[in-house]
């Protein structure tokens, strides 16, 4: 590969410099280019090997309360601040015992991470890619069912919801980000004449530490938030959500087994505000990789702003936040598909996907049939324990979510503009169960139509067919969010019009498909406006947020003149 540098002898200092510094860019080209495909989603049909393996993993996971220490630089720490993760669908059943780190421990984790970063950043990219591929293989095979069982029992996901999250999406994030890294190193700056100068770029980590703050609702998101900055040479403090600690812990262990060195990612469960306050005070904060609600991200952003004079780097702030996602039904829509897609989008995983449909706009001409379809389908959904494989959905995540969602249901019952069409019942006796609820609202600006509820509650607004344009405008302006949206129509000219009118209404837009279910590599994910910084997790450019590239110009023809030729008479 050095044949293009004829002026450099292999023994020279310049050659050694190449070996040491540029090698982190170049060797990737030597890895075989195998292309990339998504991890297959297994069926778990009766008597399949994966079904049997999952049942065994569920049994062993449910049988114990797993102890999870804080891990900093590979060392286990336990504090007096003991916490438990329970099963949301059976909240007296504890499945994990963990510990909250206090301010001192978090500060220590920052020191350890900063030290580890310098060494880790010198690990060749090709080596890191190998570790990530090894980890993806472990997650797809040896640990697949352990990850699924932890996600099912700890976060109340059904088989399919766990499989698309903690198996397929997680494996895809790990494998594809490594692939995207390999791909992006193929692009090098222009060198007009390599006999005179050579230009290159190397992808460095960001010095300091990155705080990865993850939500409860996707195990895969935790893996992505912590391990994409790590892949790029950053060191990380990973604060998992209290209600997803077990699945996140299993991800952490699989990555360790694959070869991620101690200190590169530190596992630091903690009280949210204590963690946020501590990391934003550190001068070494290199970035925050956050997914969660708008108020939490706003708070972190403000804290960074208040501390801006303290930092070594401008911290990168990446936040994927909430949504108020819409399905817009056109009079030409295929009704059956609009009904089925809306039910799945609104009620799978109890509507606790950031992309879940939460407001639906239906033309008056289609409403009688659409209403009958929605009510019939929603009333038949089986809600129960995730270990009963016939359940469509289970419980909402915790007591706080239960209170929040049911307060919206009570609002729907009391308000004269709103009518509960189906559902509206709930009980937190054994688990946090809320029946899928559909409300019709006569007011398109009611809080049910504008606020993120994050639960199994869908609100429908019926518009006059003649008011199509005003309604479309209202869809794009009545909420601060712009995460996902879907339009259902068979009229092609309307679809072209909708693409224009809804351009800024959603970061992920669907035509005749539900608003949920983005696949890594296929629909890179993220929203605009208050839905986040839209860095498109799962896409080829996301990794670039976590590198501080260095451009290098090497000159092989020594410049010995001071004066320019034109200066000579
Ligand atoms: P959350 O904001 O309550 O918590 C997210 C994380 O932030 C948790 O780990 C929590 O402990 C931590 N946290 C809380 N206060 C903090 C503070 N002051 N400083 C630092 N960390 C703090 O969100 P959640 O309930 O876990 O997740 C649901 C939210 O996430 C919804 O709003 C949903 O739309 C959003 N979400 C968005 C996406 C996306 O890609 N846009 C994906 C998943 C979830």
């Amino acid at each position: 590969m050095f044949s293009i540098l004829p002026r450099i002898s292999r023994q020279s200092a310049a050659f050694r410099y190449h070996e040491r510094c540029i090698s982190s860019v170049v060797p990737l080209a030597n890895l075989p280019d195998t292309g990339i495909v998504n991890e297959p989603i297994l069926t778990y049909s009766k008597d399949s090997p994966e079904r049997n393996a999952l049942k065994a993993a569920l049994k062993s996971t449910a049988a114990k309360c797993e102890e999870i220490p804080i891990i900093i630089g590979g060392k286990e720490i336990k504090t007096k601040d003991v916490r438990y993760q329970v099963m949301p669908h059976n909240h007296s059943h504890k499945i994990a015992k963990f510990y909250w780190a206090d301010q001192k421990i978090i500060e220590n984790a920052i020191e350890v991470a900063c030290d580890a970063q310098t060494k880790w950043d010198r690990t060749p990219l090709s080596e890191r890619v190998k570790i990530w591929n090894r980890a993806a293989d472990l997650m797809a095979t040896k640990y697949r069912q352990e990850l699924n069982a932890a996600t099912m029992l700890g976060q109340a996901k059904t088989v399919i919801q766990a499989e698309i999250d903690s198996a397929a999406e997680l494996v895809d994030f790990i494998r594809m980000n490594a692939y995207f890294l390999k791909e992006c190193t193929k692009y090098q700056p222009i060198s007009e004449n390599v006999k005179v100068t050579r230009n290159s770029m190397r992808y460095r980590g960001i010095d300091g530490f990155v705080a990865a703050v993850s939500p409860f609702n996707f195990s895969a998101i935790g893996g992505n938030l912590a391990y994409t900055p790590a892949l790029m040479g950053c060191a990380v403090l990973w604060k998992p959500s209290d209600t997803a600690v077990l699945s996140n812990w299993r991800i952490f262990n699989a990555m360790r087994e694959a070869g991620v060195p101690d200190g590169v990612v530190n596992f630091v469960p903690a009280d949210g505000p204590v963690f946020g306050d501590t990391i934003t005070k550190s001068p070494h904060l290199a970035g925050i990789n956050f997914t969660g609600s708008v108020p939490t991200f706003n708070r972190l952003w403000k804290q960074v702003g208040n501390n801006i004079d303290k930092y070594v780097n401008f911290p990168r702030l990446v936040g994927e936040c909430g949504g108020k996602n819409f399905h817009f039904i056109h009079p030409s829509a295929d009704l059956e598909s609009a009904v089925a897609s809306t039910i799945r989008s609104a009620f799978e995983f109890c509507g606790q996907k950031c992309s879940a449909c939460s407001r639906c706009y239906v033309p008056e001409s289609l409403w009688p049939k659409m209403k009958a379809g929605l009510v019939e389908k929603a009333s038949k959904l089986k809600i129960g324990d995730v270990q009963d494989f016939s359940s469509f959905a289970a419980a909402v995540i915790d007591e706080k979510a239960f209170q929040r969602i049911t307060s919206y249901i009570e609002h729907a019952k009391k308000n004269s503009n709103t009518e509960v069409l189906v559902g509206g019942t709930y009980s937190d006796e054994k688990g946090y169960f809320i029946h899928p609820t559909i409300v019709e609202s006569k007011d398109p600006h009611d809080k049910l139509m504008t606020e993120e509820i994050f639960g199994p509650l869908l609100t429908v607004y019926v518009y006059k067919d003649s008011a199509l344009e005003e309604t479309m405008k209202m869809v794009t302006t009545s909420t601060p969010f712009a995460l996902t949206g879907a339009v259902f129509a068979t009229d092609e000219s309307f679809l072209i019009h909708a693409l224009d009118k809804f351009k800024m209404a959603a970061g992920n837009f669907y035509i005749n498909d539900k608003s949920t279910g983005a696949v890594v590599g296929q629909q890179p994910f993220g929203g605009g406006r208050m839905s986040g910084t839209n860095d498109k997790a799962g896409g080829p450019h996301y990794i670039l947020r976590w590198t501080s590239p260095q451009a290098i110009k090497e000159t092989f023809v020594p410049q010995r003149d001071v004066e320019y030729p034109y200066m000579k008479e």
Side-chain angles (χ1 to χ4, degrees):
M1 69 190 178
F2 293 109
S3 58
I4 54 167
L5 307 170
R7 282 163 186 267
I8 300 181
S9 115
R10 286 182 169 256
Q11 272 69 48
S12 70
F15 178 77
R16 289 199 299 277
Y17 158 82
H18 261 91
E19 283 271 82
R20 214 171 53 243
C21 303
I22 314 293
S23 64
S24 62
V25 175
V26 182
L28 281 180
N30 298 334
L31 287 180
D33 191 348
T34 51
I36 194 96
V37 288
N38 287 100
E39 177 63 22
I41 294 166
L42 304 181
T43 63
Y44 296 86
S45 53
K46 202 159 175 271
D47 297 329
S48 62
E50 68 267 18
R51 186 181 177 105
N52 295 337
L54 175 60
K55 287 208 161 170
L58 285 167
K59 204 169 163 199
S60 64
T61 302
K64 58 178 188 284
C65 179
E66 195 161 328
E67 183 150 14
I68 301 176
I70 299 159
I71 304 281
I72 296 172
K75 290 202 186 86
E76 291 192 5
I77 298 170
K78 293 175 187 171
T79 64
K80 290 208 173 85
D81 205 345
V82 177
R83 306 274 146 175
Y84 290 93
Q85 186 183 355
V86 301
M87 294 184 187
H89 48 282
N90 183 3
H91 47 54
S92 62
H93 191 139
K94 295 171 179 161
I95 54 162
K97 176 184 181 186
F98 62 100
Y99 306 87
W100 266 0
D102 59 19
Q103 184 188 329
K104 262 200 158 156
I105 292 173
I106 299 166
E107 283 167 356
N108 175 243
I110 291 174
E111 246 177 71
V112 168
C114 291
D115 279 354
Q117 195 273 329
T118 322
K119 191 165 166 227
W120 174 238
D121 197 25
R122 283 163 173 72
T123 306
L125 300 190
S126 56
E127 182 54 33
R128 288 186 233 155
V129 167
K130 279 185 198 150
I131 296 173
W132 261 242
N133 284 337
R134 204 153 49 226
D137 290 346
L138 284 172
M139 291 164 176
T141 55
K142 186 175 170 190
Y143 295 121
R144 189 182 196 106
Q145 301 315 340
E146 274 194 24
L147 288 160
N148 279 341
T151 302
M152 286 177 70
L153 298 176
Q155 289 137 265
K157 289 203 171 187
T158 56
V159 176
I160 182 68
Q161 295 305 316
E163 172 71 5
I164 60 173
D165 171 10
S166 46
E169 183 169 318
L170 176 65
V171 171
D172 284 346
F173 270 136
I174 301 295
R175 197 177 276 145
M176 288 205 184
N177 282 327
Y179 175 78
F180 293 142
L181 169 57
K182 183 164 120 53
E183 287 299 293
C184 90
T185 58
K186 285 182 184 165
Y187 173 77
Q188 287 297 320
I190 295 160
S191 300
E192 283 186 339
N193 181 352
V194 291
K195 291 185 177 162
V196 179
T197 55
R198 175 173 126 136
N199 299 313
S200 56
M201 191 142 80
R202 59 175 171 167
Y203 292 92
R204 306 173 302 179
I206 314 171
D207 54 335
F209 73 98
V210 170
V213 182
S214 54
F216 78 85
N217 67 337
F218 272 83
S219 307
I221 291 180
N224 183 49
L225 295 185
Y227 287 94
T228 309
L231 171 69
M232 301 306 288
C234 302
V236 177
L237 265 61
W238 180 9
K239 196 211 88 57
S241 165
D242 288 349
T243 42
V245 172
L246 183 59
S247 61
N248 289 194
W249 168 244
R250 289 184 176 179
I251 294 170
F252 178 78
N253 283 321
M255 294 300 300
R256 281 209 291 188
E257 187 174 322
V260 177
D262 290 343
V264 171
V265 175
N266 301 279
F267 194 73
V268 194
D271 173 52
V274 170
F275 186 82
D277 295 354
T278 312
I279 54 135
T280 51
K281 270 189 211 137
S282 167
H284 304 291
L285 179 69
I288 300 179
N289 203 7
F290 174 82
T291 299
S293 62
V294 175
T296 310
F297 192 49
N298 277 349
R299 182 185 154 118
L300 288 166
W301 193 296
K302 279 182 197 152
Q303 287 177 309
V304 168
N306 290 339
N307 289 316
I308 200 69
D309 295 329
K310 285 189 186 159
Y311 299 123
V312 174
N313 291 290
F314 285 106
R316 309 267 168 107
L317 301 179
V318 170
E320 297 306 333
C321 303
K324 187 70 184 174
N325 313 299
F326 64 88
H327 278 191
F328 189 88
I329 319 296
H330 183 257
S332 71
D334 173 330
L335 201 70
E336 226 178 309
S337 133
V339 168
S341 303
T342 305
I343 292 285
R344 276 197 173 180
S345 177
F347 300 126
E348 280 184 324
F349 188 39
C350 298
Q352 296 172 114
K353 298 185 187 185
C354 52
S355 53
C357 173
S358 155
R359 52 183 173 135
C360 184
Y361 299 83
V362 184
E364 215 170 30
S365 57
L366 288 189
W367 181 228
K369 281 192 179 152
M370 178 112 186
K371 178 177 169 179
L374 288 173
V375 168
E376 192 216 334
K377 291 242 177 325
S379 58
K380 283 189 185 152
L381 298 175
K382 183 170 171 187
I383 306 302
D385 193 315
V386 292
Q387 290 171 95
D388 171 356
F389 284 13
S390 65
S391 296
F392 175 82
V396 300
I397 193 70
D398 59 12
E399 171 72 21
K400 206 170 124 204
F402 182 83
Q403 296 301 345
R404 186 188 64 243
I405 300 159
T406 54
S407 77
Y408 280 102
I409 292 178
E410 289 310 308
H411 164 83
K413 286 180 183 168
K414 284 183 206 131
N415 191 333
S416 59
N417 276 324
T418 48
E419 183 193 350
V420 176
L421 303 179
V422 64
T425 52
Y426 47 83
S427 162
D428 61 353
E429 205 178 314
K430 183 170 183 207
Y432 304 108
F433 289 105
I434 301 177
H435 204 276
T437 300
I438 302 178
V439 173
E440 182 184 347
S441 175
K442 301 268 180 244
D443 175 6
H445 297 285
D446 186 89
K447 67 177 183 174
L448 294 178
M449 291 295 293
T450 55
E451 293 178 11
E452 184 180 47
I453 299 169
F454 219 57
L457 173 47
L458 170 73
T459 308
V460 179
Y461 174 71
V462 180
Y463 68 89
K464 288 202 180 311
D465 293 46
S466 58
L468 186 82
E469 289 301 322
E470 300 97 281
T471 314
M472 288 173 85
K473 191 165 179 203
M474 190 174 56
V475 170
T476 65
T477 54
S478 56
T479 85
F481 303 104
L483 191 51
T484 73
V487 59
F488 290 81
T490 55
D491 177 337
E492 275 184 24
S493 60
F494 172 75
L495 288 174
I496 292 165
H497 181 60
L499 266 174
D500 180 44
K501 289 288 163 192
F502 289 140
K503 189 170 187 184
M504 301 312 285
N508 283 63
F509 188 60
Y510 295 82
I511 296 172
N512 292 318
D513 207 336
K514 64 186 166 57
S515 62
T516 55
V519 173
V520 173
Q522 297 192 30
Q523 295 94 25
F525 194 77
R529 297 189 175 156
M530 285 301 109
S531 288
T533 49
N534 199 9
D535 293 285
K536 288 286 179 265
H541 310 106
Y542 177 77
I543 55 167
L544 298 176
R545 287 293 269 151
W546 302 111
T547 174
S548 178
Q550 184 179 49
I552 302 165
K553 176 185 176 188
E554 302 158 88
T555 293
F556 309 120
V557 180
Q559 174 59 56
R560 298 200 170 101
D561 289 340
V562 174
E563 292 182 345
Y564 291 92
Y566 74 87
M567 295 166 79
K568 294 184 182 124
E569 283 304 329

